[in-house]
Amino acid sequence: MGMNITEFAALAGVSKTAVSRYFNNGYLSAEKRAAIEEAVRRTGYSPSEAARGLRTRRTRQIGVVLPRLSGESTARVVDGISLVLGDKGYRMLLANTANRPEREVEYLDALRQSGVDGVIFLASIFTPEHRAVLKSMHMPVVIVAQQYDGYSCVYHDDLGAARDLTSLLIRRGSHPAYIGVTAQDRAAGLSRREGYVQAMREAGLPVRTEDMCVSGFRMEEGYARAKDLLQARHPDGIFCATDAIAIGAMQACRELGLRVGEDVLIAGVGDTTLGQVTATPLTTAHLHYQTSGQEAAQLLLRLLSSQGAGVRNVCLGYEIMERASTGIL
Amino acid sequence: MGMNITEFAALAGVSKTAVSRYFNNGYLSAEKRAAIEEAVRRTGYSPSEAARGLRTRRTRQIGVVLPRLSGESTARVVDGISLVLGDKGYRMLLANTANRPEREVEYLDALRQSGVDGVIFLASIFTPEHRAVLKSMHMPVVIVAQQYDGYSCVYHDDLGAARDLTSLLIRRGSHPAYIGVTAQDRAAGLSRREGYVQAMREAGLPVRTEDMCVSGFRMEEGYARAKDLLQARHPDGIFCATDAIAIGAMQACRELGLRVGEDVLIAGVGDTTLGQVTATPLTTAHLHYQTSGQEAAQLLLRLLSSQGAGVRNVCLGYEIMERASTGIL
DNA sequence: AACAAAGATGAAATCGATTTCATTCAGATT
DNA sequence: AATCTGAATGAAATCGATTTCATCTTTGTT
């Protein structure tokens, strides 16, 4: 522990320079290398990250900003990130903004100061302040789950997934309504709604604003919106922008005496575990969250090695999981 | 960005020392303070964490070691931790060991080197190596979800929860079997099993090893163990050490044509969202995971301020959530 | 008026590494 | 034999802060 390079070098019988070279693979004779290796084994010495960071301006730390940790999708993305980062000897500095956009900006700023080598940003909503802070970051940034011009992004084909699911609902004989999330969230809000609209148009069905509404991300909110919608418009199908909302909707159906998969067809997006254990298993789209985390980390590491390698985007596909909520199979 | 204290001091018309004092609330005249404040506003200067860390040997970073991120309980604990830490200006270095105990030791070691101020350890299993590495940590450590002699711990009353749930199963008319996890996990494995055993004894029921088995943490594993158990022993109740296992067990029942809550009563532990959306809502014990994260963070911060304040333990209670899986309410 | 105590101040030392640079030495080339 | 090449080497400069310490200014006390 409390040993510095000078002490250690003396102990190993070599110069400080040699020790530094040992830990940074520089020119070094085999004997010295062996002597140092031996001394390391004996003493457990390892160079101070602080000193090293001061000199090299690199910390081997990556900042990860995310809106929440509860929520399976985020957790899976982070899992993917840490998988890749851990392997490459990078550490992960987590900034949990607890769904408060003003905190996002705050934290991005803090990360900039704390000297992380790069940032992975799990975005939900982009405000003008976001744009400003992102611009002021003098380090590589990768954005996950959103496409954002000028930055490397890893995202899902939200539109495609929503379109396919809506088409499925139509094919199974329903005229689906829509429960989504705020359009400020361009991926989960805007794109998925657009997918719904496209599928409806393609099928020649009218797109009525009365059949569409906006919910929060929580199950309870989905439940409430669904109950309103079901009582006001009596839809025979609902496409929900997220699994959580869909689960809420299923519950609302049940309470109103409607059979899910028969009286009302329901689909969600995300393929969370939740949708697999419900009374009626949920039809949904599997998005490759963990993969997106891995891709993001790899993208960032590439940006770190070859400086300014330029912006690169990765769009991941999806997989439709057809289950009983859209009709008995 | 690229400005150091010397440049900045010149720009503000004061000495380096004054600048340092400004950022560390030392003696400083009002005029200088104002001048520096103004200059900070103009330039956006902020001291380098690396240099600061080198000199002070403090990083304001806390290492958090955890076995997995997917899994609601861990996510909630981390949420709690980041809530407290964020408020106090500490950052969180996450080490995700992906359920590999050998990695836990590795990461603890890495954290020690990387100079975090303290560590929060979400433990599941303790091996002799764990003990060794923990001992070699020259910094405060708080352990969550396990009681471990010599360290400050925040944990749940696993035994009590298990005992109460088993008693409930018995009161509702069943003679419950047990599906648990490895006893190497002293909290979720050993204590909960002990709670089951105690409740059985109290009720004067025989505790048969054939009625008890060990599962992994995943739903699918709970499903498999439950199926075996149900076919071999035909129990009319099962106490499961975790919600995930319980969900698997419910599925096994359904597939065997047994009605959950009638033919077979089932209870789990953890009160995850999963248990609230299943066909038959799950009776379980709510453990205060987020609170335990907060408590752990607070404990650690206290250890950091008053050096060697000594070991303190926090045991959090639980709340029995009685739902339909133990009989229609 | 003399003196002590307390408040401010900045020069210089320090934290523990990396990196530059000048030098040595062995072997290859002419 | 003289020269060149390139690998190894370590002394010293450097990264950007904090902290000590000696000095100077106030203020308060008698």
Side-chain angles (χ1 to χ4, degrees), chain B residues 170-192:
Chain B
I170 297 171
R171 256 199 331 278
R172 293 286 169 267
S174 74
H175 180 144
Y178 174 79
I179 304 180
V181 296
T182 172
Q184 292 186 275
D185 185 326
R186 281 172 46 196
L190 213 56
S191 295
R192 292 181 194 170

Side-chain angles (χ1 to χ4, degrees), chain A residues 1-16:
Chain A
M1 261 291 77
M3 179 158 28
N4 61 25
I5 196 175
T6 311
E7 270 182 84
F8 174 78
L11 214 136
V14 301
S15 71
K16 289 171 28 164

Side-chain angles (χ1 to χ4, degrees), chain A residues 1 13 16 39 67 76 101 109 113 119 129 184 195 245 261 275 281 296 308 328:
Chain A
M1 261 291 77
K16 289 171 28 164
R76 283 204 228 145
D109 224 48
Q113 285 171 26
V119 170
E129 288 94 40
Q184 291 186 276
I245 294 176
I328 314 300

Side-chain angles (χ1 to χ4, degrees), chain B residues 98-161:
Chain B
N99 270 321
R100 296 225 290 285
E102 75 276 13
R103 280 222 154 177
E104 274 175 13
V105 173
E106 223 174 88
Y107 273 119
L108 280 173
D109 223 50
L111 283 178
R112 189 180 35 155
Q113 286 171 26
S114 86
V116 295
D117 294 345
V119 169
I120 296 179
F121 188 39
L122 302 213
S124 47
I125 292 172
F126 274 86
T127 65
E129 289 93 41
H130 281 87
R131 190 179 262 289
V133 183
L134 281 176
K135 226 176 204 158
S136 76
M137 300 287 247
H138 299 213
M139 61 187 76
V141 175
V142 172
I143 293 174
V144 178
Q146 298 272 346
Q147 196 179 1
Y148 194 70
D149 280 353
Y151 293 88
S152 287
C153 302
V154 179
Y155 52 92
H156 307 277
D157 183 3
D158 288 289
L159 193 148

Side-chain angles (χ1 to χ4, degrees), chain A residues 135-157:
Chain A
K135 226 177 204 157
S136 77
M137 299 288 245
H138 299 217
M139 61 187 75
V141 175
V142 172
I143 293 173
V144 177
Q146 299 271 346
Q147 197 179 2
Y148 193 70
D149 280 352
Y151 293 89
S152 287
C153 303
V154 179
Y155 52 92
H156 306 277
D157 183 4

Side-chain angles (χ1 to χ4, degrees), chain B residues 201-246:
Chain B
R201 293 244 166 84
E202 274 171 23
L205 294 175
V207 177
R208 299 201 199 83
T209 53
E210 311 92 81
D211 288 336
M212 303 173 63
C213 66
V214 173
S215 157
F217 281 91
R218 299 211 322 275
M219 240 174 65
E220 297 80 4
E221 303 174 289
Y223 165 81
R225 293 287 76 70
K227 209 155 195 181
D228 294 347
L229 192 65
L230 285 164
Q231 286 172 328
R233 311 279 310 162
H234 301 288
D236 56 359
I238 309 180
F239 170 61
C240 304
T242 76
D243 274 10
I245 294 176

